[in-house]
């Protein structure tokens, strides 16, 4: 099947990626699957776009296989995976990865007789390149196509906050700003503190904020296209 894949060159994160497919006139029931995967993940194993032809029609050589039947008569306990925890017991090691890998799959989608179908994929918070891979099949034919989509936002903010604070702790809160909008921008970053109260517990009372901002809460600057800047705010736990 001659699969024509049409995707936008660039999309924003937290948006919908529309994948348009044209398979031509279909012959009987036809289905397609679409996957969008982070190119960074695929590069780890040099992953190639799936090609069913190599699985359906592989080149095979004449081979000889041997087998023994002793296992049919002797009960051999199943050997599970061996494991060594060392002195640390079963406690997991390392930090939890905050960035979730992007690997989206459409499932099996039926293609109408026109051969044209649109598949929509929800892109999460992500910055980078996605490889869009489509595999189509009917009763007698298969087809494959792939393309790349860049996911980025005009302005990207990354910040680091402490997970815990003790009374009297002073902290610095860096905010890393990157301009990918294609032009110079005047940027203003504001930071504020708000209370988080559970419903029914102190919701009607005016509880003082446990964290107090120190110094300026607003900073403004110009940032050229492609440049980045780190601004730092200060706060204290009361």
């Amino acid at each position: 099947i001659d699969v024509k894949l049409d995707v936008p060159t660039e999309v924003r994160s937290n948006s919908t990626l529309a994948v348009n497919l044209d398979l031509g006139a279909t012959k009987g029931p036809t289905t397609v699957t679409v996957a969008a995967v982070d190119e960074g993940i695929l590069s780890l194993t040099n992953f190639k776009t799936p090609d069913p032809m190599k699985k359906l029609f592989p080149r095979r050589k004449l081979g000889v296989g041997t087998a023994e039947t002793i296992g049919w008569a002797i009960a051999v306990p199943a050997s599970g995976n061996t494991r060594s925890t060392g002195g640390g017991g079963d406690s997991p090691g390392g930090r939890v990865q905050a960035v979730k890998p992007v690997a989206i799959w459409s499932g099996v989608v039926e293609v109408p007789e026109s051969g044209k179908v649109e598949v929509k994929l929800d892109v999460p918070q992500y910055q980078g390149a996605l490889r869009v891979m489509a595999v189509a099949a009917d009763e007698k034919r298969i087809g494959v196509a792939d393309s790349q989509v860049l996911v980025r936002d005009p302005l990207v903010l990354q910040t680091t906050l402490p997970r815990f604070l003790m009374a009297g702790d002073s902290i610095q809160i860096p905010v890393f700003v990157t301009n990918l909008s294609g032009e110079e921008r005047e940027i203003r970053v504001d930071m504020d503190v708000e209370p988080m109260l559970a419903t029914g517990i102190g919701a009607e009372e005016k509880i003082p904020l446990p964290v107090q901002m120190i110094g300026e809460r607003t900073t403004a600057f110009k940032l050229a296209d492609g440049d980045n800047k780190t601004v730092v705010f200060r706060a204290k736990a009361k």
Side-chain angles (χ1 to χ4, degrees):
I1 304 176
D2 182 17
V3 181
K4 296 180 180 178
L5 179 63
D6 183 20
V7 293
T9 305
E10 183 178 319
V11 296
R12 288 193 181 189
S13 62
N14 298 308
S15 65
T16 300
L17 171 60
V19 181
N20 291 285
L21 297 164
D22 186 357
L23 313 183
T26 61
K27 300 177 181 179
T30 305
T31 58
V32 65
T33 64
V34 179
V37 184
D38 181 0
E39 282 282 10
I41 298 176
L42 300 178
S43 65
L44 294 177
T45 58
N46 195 26
F47 184 85
K48 304 297 182 183
T49 299
D51 185 2
M53 290 291 290
K54 295 180 180 180
K55 298 292 184 180
L56 294 174
F57 305 103
R59 298 186 63 181
R60 303 180 64 180
K61 62 181 179 180
L62 179 64
V64 178
T66 61
E68 49 87 21
T69 61
I70 189 172
W72 297 358
I74 299 179
V76 180
S79 60
N81 295 330
T82 59
R83 182 181 181 188
S84 175
T85 59
D90 292 332
S91 59
R95 297 184 60 186
V96 176
Q97 176 58 264
V99 179
K100 294 182 179 180
V102 179
I104 312 168
W105 190 58
S106 66
V108 179
V109 179
E110 295 185 1
V111 180
E113 294 182 358
S114 64
K116 297 181 179 181
V117 64
E118 183 182 59
V119 179
K120 294 184 177 181
L121 305 175
D122 293 329
V123 179
Q125 180 65 43
Y126 168 76
Q127 304 289 326
L130 295 178
R131 189 194 305 177
V132 180
M133 299 169 281
V135 179
D138 61 21
E139 294 179 348
K140 296 182 179 180
R141 304 179 303 159
I142 60 174
V144 181
D146 63 5
S147 185
Q148 191 178 84
V149 177
L150 183 63
V151 183
R152 65 177 182 178
D153 297 321
L155 295 177
V156 180
L157 276 73
Q158 295 174 292
T159 187
T160 304
L161 296 171
R163 297 184 63 186
F164 304 96
L165 282 177
M166 294 290 289
D169 285 352
S170 295
I171 61 173
Q172 292 184 338
I173 308 171
V175 181
F176 186 74
V177 186
T178 305
N179 180 12
L180 301 174
S181 64
E183 60 183 2
E184 185 182 60
R185 289 290 187 97
E186 292 188 2
I187 298 173
R188 190 183 78 176
V189 182
D190 301 318
M191 181 165 289
D192 205 352
V193 181
E194 295 181 359
M196 295 179 62
L197 301 176
T199 304
I201 303 178
E204 305 300 329
E205 302 177 11
K206 291 186 177 180
I207 300 177
L209 294 175
V211 177
Q212 177 183 4
M213 296 293 297
I214 300 175
E216 297 293 334
R217 300 189 180 193
T218 301
T219 180
F221 53 91
K222 289 186 177 181
L223 196 61
D225 177 48
D227 285 355
N228 52 68
K229 181 179 177 66
T230 300
V231 295
V232 179
F233 298 91
R234 299 178 62 239
K236 184 176 182 179
K238 298 170 62 176

